[in-house]
Amino acid sequence: KESIPQATPTKTGIDNAVDKVAEVTPKIVEPIADNTSKPIIIYNVPSRTGVNVLPSTYAELCEHKNIIATKEASGNISQIAKLAQLVGDEMDIYSGNDDQIVPILALGGKGVISTVGNVIPKDMHDLCASFFAGDLKKAQELGYAEANPAADVEGLDAARKTAILCGLCFGKLVAPANI
């Protein structure tokens, strides 16, 4: 299916265009939620969007039946703990930072929407499966050693660093053009 153009959302347009909606700016989440029956995951990635969704905002947004989850990548564990306290079971929380998966799972998170998981999906699966099976030691080991092999490499983003370290990338890497 094709992506939604940046315009005023309509129910028919959204419902026919996508299976799920991932939205990054709180100001337009509710109008989208009002015009679709699709589940919506809020992406809180302030380092990329310049907008940080606060726990109090989540508490309001989770009242909408279509807003079901968040990819939480604020990097602020105290904020995520407050979020979990405020929304309870009304909204699922997924780690959006590969180096914070275990702490977010420990706060009640349901999993991860991962960058490096695109390169090493089995490691990410094993990390979450270990945590949910009660093997915290294995989850902690995977949480840094295997699932985040690129943490100490400077420069490129995590997915590209991981691909290089895993021997999955050859040739010259070029940064995307600025738009």
Side-chain angles (χ1 to χ4, degrees):
K1 296 189 176 190
E2 296 179 27
S3 63
I4 302 171
Q6 293 296 321
T8 303
T10 65
K11 181 172 181 19
T12 304
I14 295 171
D15 285 349
N16 289 333
V18 297
D19 296 320
K20 292 180 186 70
V21 177
E23 185 50 60
V24 295
T25 42
K27 286 183 181 179
I28 62 172
V29 170
E30 287 185 295
I32 291 173
D34 289 340
N35 286 288
T36 184
S37 59
K38 303 294 183 181
I40 296 175
I41 300 172
I42 298 171
Y43 271 44
N44 190 28
V45 190
S47 65
R48 302 271 192 251
T49 65
V51 176
N52 181 32
V53 183
L54 297 175
S56 58
T57 303
Y58 279 119
E60 292 176 28
L61 292 173
C62 78
E63 292 178 14
H64 199 290
K65 65 181 172 80
N66 295 337
I67 300 175
I68 62 161
T70 181
K71 171 185 176 172
E72 182 45 66
S74 67
N76 184 335
I77 293 296
S78 296
Q79 176 177 304
I80 298 165
K82 182 69 173 176
L83 161 64
Q85 177 190 16
L86 288 176
V87 302
D89 293 333
E90 299 298 313
M91 177 183 284
D92 291 340
I93 301 170
Y94 292 89
S95 175
N97 289 336
D98 293 313
D99 62 343
Q100 293 183 332
I101 299 167
V102 174
I104 291 174
L105 294 177
L107 290 169
K110 302 295 184 193
V112 59
I113 298 174
S114 172
T115 301
V116 298
N118 290 294
V119 180
I120 50 173
K122 183 179 182 320
D123 291 333
M124 286 301 184
H125 169 270
D126 291 351
L127 185 163
C128 291
S130 296
F131 181 89
F132 291 121
D135 190 346
L136 183 58
K137 182 176 180 176
K138 183 175 179 184
Q140 288 171 325
E141 290 169 3
L142 289 169
Y144 190 80
E146 292 182 39
N148 199 11
D152 296 325
V153 180
E154 297 294 327
L156 300 172
D157 63 71
R160 287 189 280 173
K161 290 186 267 187
T162 302
I164 292 167
L165 292 172
C166 292
L168 301 173
C169 191
F170 304 97
K172 183 179 178 184
L173 291 178
V174 222
N178 290 333
I179 296 176

